[in-house]
Amino acid sequence: MRRLLFAFALIPMLFASMAFAGDAEIKAAQTVIDSQLKAFLADDGATAYSFAAPNVKRIFPTVDTFMNMVTHGYAPVRRPQSYSFGKVEQTGPASIIQQVLIVGPDGKDYEAVYTLEQQPDGSFKITGCSLRASTSVST
């Protein structure tokens, strides 16, 4: 009986630590996105590229090819006037989907949806980003 009571006493602590771990992972993922966006704004392609996951680097094997793709296909991400984090979902212990609300260089609203995966070294890297114009921005 004592063991059963002890087990029930531990359940809230386990859930609290799981929530904290999720919060820490989400914050780490947001830091990666924020750092990449700041690198784009600073014209620091090498740093921006460093946040790309191996799957992205296989498709774009050099900083130049990566930056060319971002410049021509993701102008609002490349040169945001402003951005803020929206909805986030932890889809697994090592996977996060993060909405970023962007005001592009043209002054229009965009929604970027980033996918990130935790790497073997514990860091998060960006595995993809989809971008669409937004007529109504919600968080």
Side-chain angles (χ1 to χ4, degrees):
M1 181 70 168
R2 232 183 256 171
R3 286 185 190 167
L4 185 60
L5 288 175
F6 182 71
F8 282 120
L10 284 179
I11 289 173
M13 287 187 276
L14 287 173
F15 282 116
S17 67
M18 286 171 58
F20 178 77
D23 290 346
E25 290 165 344
I26 290 167
K27 179 66 177 158
Q30 290 174 342
T31 298
V32 167
I33 296 167
D34 183 57
S35 297
Q36 186 181 63
L37 290 170
K38 286 178 179 171
F40 286 142
L41 287 168
D43 293 321
D44 185 350
T47 298
Y49 187 66
S50 74
F51 298 110
N55 69 307
V56 175
K57 289 182 176 182
R58 277 191 293 279
I59 299 166
F60 304 99
T62 67
V63 171
D64 288 340
T65 58
F66 175 75
M67 290 302 293
N68 187 49
M69 175 272 298
V70 174
T71 299
H72 295 292
Y74 293 83
V77 170
R78 175 70 173 90
R79 292 271 181 229
Q81 288 184 24
S82 65
Y83 58 91
S84 62
F85 293 109
K87 297 174 186 173
V88 64
E89 180 181 353
Q90 189 167 357
T91 57
S95 302
I96 292 175
I97 298 173
Q98 175 67 62
Q99 176 192 49
V100 180
L101 308 171
I102 297 173
V103 177
D106 56 4
K108 295 180 182 175
D109 293 330
Y110 295 86
E111 174 190 36
V113 177
Y114 283 81
T115 56
L116 300 96
E117 297 265 331
Q118 194 168 29
Q119 304 302 299
D121 68 0
S123 68
F124 276 89
K125 299 287 183 182
I126 298 167
T127 57
C129 178
S130 63
L131 181 69
R132 70 176 182 90
S134 180
T135 54
S136 65
V137 178
S138 66
T139 57

